[in-house]
Amino acid sequence: FFCVVQNFAIMACRNQVEVCRILSGTMLGMHRPEILRISDAAGTQPSWLWTLAEERTLRLLIIPFGTVLVTLAMSLMNGSEFAFVSDALNSEKPEPMQQVISRYYLWHLTIFSIFSFKLRALPSSLSYVAYLNLFAFLLCLWSGFKTWDGSYWKSWRQYLHWASSGIVLILLSVETPAVWWREQAVGVAFAALVVIFIAAFLSVAVFHAIPSTGIPWVGPHVEFPFGQVQIAVGGITVLFAVRELPIEWTVLGAHFGVVWFRWPSLQLEAQAERGDGSSFFPADAALAQQQLQQQQQQLQHGRAYAPGV
């Protein structure tokens, strides 16, 4: 599976020019490629293949999901006891150098892919959001490294990793309702998830005194009703405990799902407010209009010096 993900990334890089041309045409309101369109009685409509070929699908869903699946499986087969996001970022148990290189290649590819998408999608006034994402994700990844010397546990790196994890969750819980889906219910839901997770994590990891939930097979631990999961991968049996509510996975998955789902709606809303498709957010309306006028002037100027055109 790792080879499939890697080959897919290489193929995407080789076709970057064509992808940029298609995306640029879409941004400017041009027609989508005919191969990605279907015809019906109502006219020509984009097919579902276009959704799979879109940049948002590749950068927000395919690459992150593949990276999580591969790296978490690597950690579990190495003997990691838990299935947190941190265990996908860095193996709890020592791993060979080739796994470290593969793991960090996939996660840096994922992080910079998300950063690139948000940097170009957000207006210039909100570009700092993309840089905050980049800083928080990289800090969380690097501070959680624990393969070589074994000095991670109860060190400043462990506490820094905890803090950076909290920063990531808080950042996404604020960014989602403030930028991508401006609904009060969305903000309340994300805030509640983050507060509950932080409280549960600190109660178990720091104070060791989380109150009993009264749920059978759960008790004082906020965990699934089953204490352990046994998975057989390639003849290797992996036994690990699934502890804590999977709230962090929910926050991450919901954030990228919201960004992916809301992206076309934000485009249409911005185009309706400006009357053109050269930008995605109303904050860039003046700049988009100015760029469009400059392009028209350059085109007219070129025609004036091109006889017969």
Side-chain angles (χ1 to χ4, degrees):
F1 185 84
F2 168 73
C3 293
V4 172
V5 174
Q6 186 179 33
N7 291 334
F8 187 86
I10 294 174
M11 181 182 64
C13 293
R14 290 178 177 175
N15 293 280
Q16 183 178 10
V17 175
E18 180 65 16
V19 171
C20 291
R21 184 187 67 80
I22 295 175
L23 292 174
S24 299
T26 305
M27 294 174 188
L28 296 175
M30 299 170 61
H31 295 292
R32 292 172 177 173
E34 293 299 326
I35 193 175
L36 299 177
R37 301 174 70 88
I38 56 176
S39 298
D40 51 22
T44 304
Q45 301 293 334
S47 72
W48 62 272
L49 290 175
W50 174 252
T51 302
L52 295 178
E54 284 182 339
E55 182 183 17
R56 60 172 179 144
T57 304
L58 175 65
R59 294 183 180 272
L60 299 177
L61 298 182
I62 295 178
I63 293 180
F65 177 77
T67 298
V68 167
L69 188 62
V70 171
T71 55
L72 187 58
M74 291 165 56
S75 296
L76 296 178
M77 288 188 289
N78 288 334
S80 294
E81 185 180 0
F82 305 110
F84 289 117
V85 177
S86 299
D87 295 290
L89 294 174
N90 293 279
S91 177
E92 182 182 352
K93 303 297 182 179
E95 59 184 354
M97 179 57 62
Q98 56 267 32
Q99 288 191 18
V100 175
I101 295 175
S102 301
R103 181 189 302 275
Y104 269 62
Y105 164 76
L106 286 174
W107 275 113
H108 282 84
L109 172 66
T110 301
I111 292 173
F112 279 94
S113 178
I114 295 171
F115 163 73
S116 175
F117 178 86
K118 290 186 176 182
L119 183 63
R120 291 180 291 109
L122 295 171
S124 55
S125 59
L126 292 176
S127 60
Y128 68 90
V129 175
Y131 286 100
L132 285 177
N133 276 249
L134 179 64
F135 171 78
F137 288 149
L138 290 179
L139 181 62
C140 189
L141 173 64
W142 295 340
S143 62
F145 184 80
K146 56 179 76 75
T147 291
W148 288 341
D149 54 9
S151 61
Y152 169 81
W153 307 107
K154 296 183 179 181
S155 68
W156 63 270
R157 288 172 25 230
Q158 182 179 14
Y159 300 123
L160 178 62
H161 179 70
W162 287 359
S164 61
S165 300
I167 291 174
V168 169
L169 294 178
I170 294 174
L171 175 62
L172 298 185
S173 67
V174 174
E175 176 189 340
T176 306
V179 176
W180 303 103
W181 202 342
R182 299 181 182 92
E183 292 289 343
Q184 183 177 5
V186 177
V188 171
F190 272 85
L193 287 174
V194 172
V195 170
I196 293 174
F197 172 78
I198 293 178
F201 178 80
L202 292 179
S203 298
V204 174
V206 178
F207 302 107
H208 306 286
I210 187 170
S212 176
T213 61
I215 303 176
W217 303 294
V218 175
H221 300 285
V222 185
E223 59 186 16
F224 285 107
F226 43 87
Q228 293 181 329
V229 177
Q230 183 172 329
I231 298 179
V233 181
I236 302 177
T237 301
V238 181
L239 188 65
F240 65 99
V242 184
R243 301 185 182 276
E244 307 291 356
L245 285 172
I247 297 179
E248 58 177 0
W249 289 109
T250 303
V251 172
L252 290 173
H255 169 76
F256 293 115
V258 166
V259 176
W260 180 88
F261 176 74
R262 288 285 298 165
W263 180 242
S265 300
L266 292 175
Q267 287 181 302
L268 294 177
E269 292 174 4
Q271 292 175 12
E273 292 188 17
R274 290 189 312 275
D276 63 75
S278 55
S279 186
F280 300 113
F281 285 81
D284 277 350
L287 178 60
Q289 186 65 27
Q290 181 181 0
Q291 293 176 346
L292 184 61
Q293 292 176 356
Q294 290 177 354
Q295 292 175 358
Q296 293 175 348
Q297 292 175 359
Q298 292 175 357
L299 182 61
Q300 294 175 357
H301 181 74
R303 288 179 175 176
Y305 289 92
V309 178

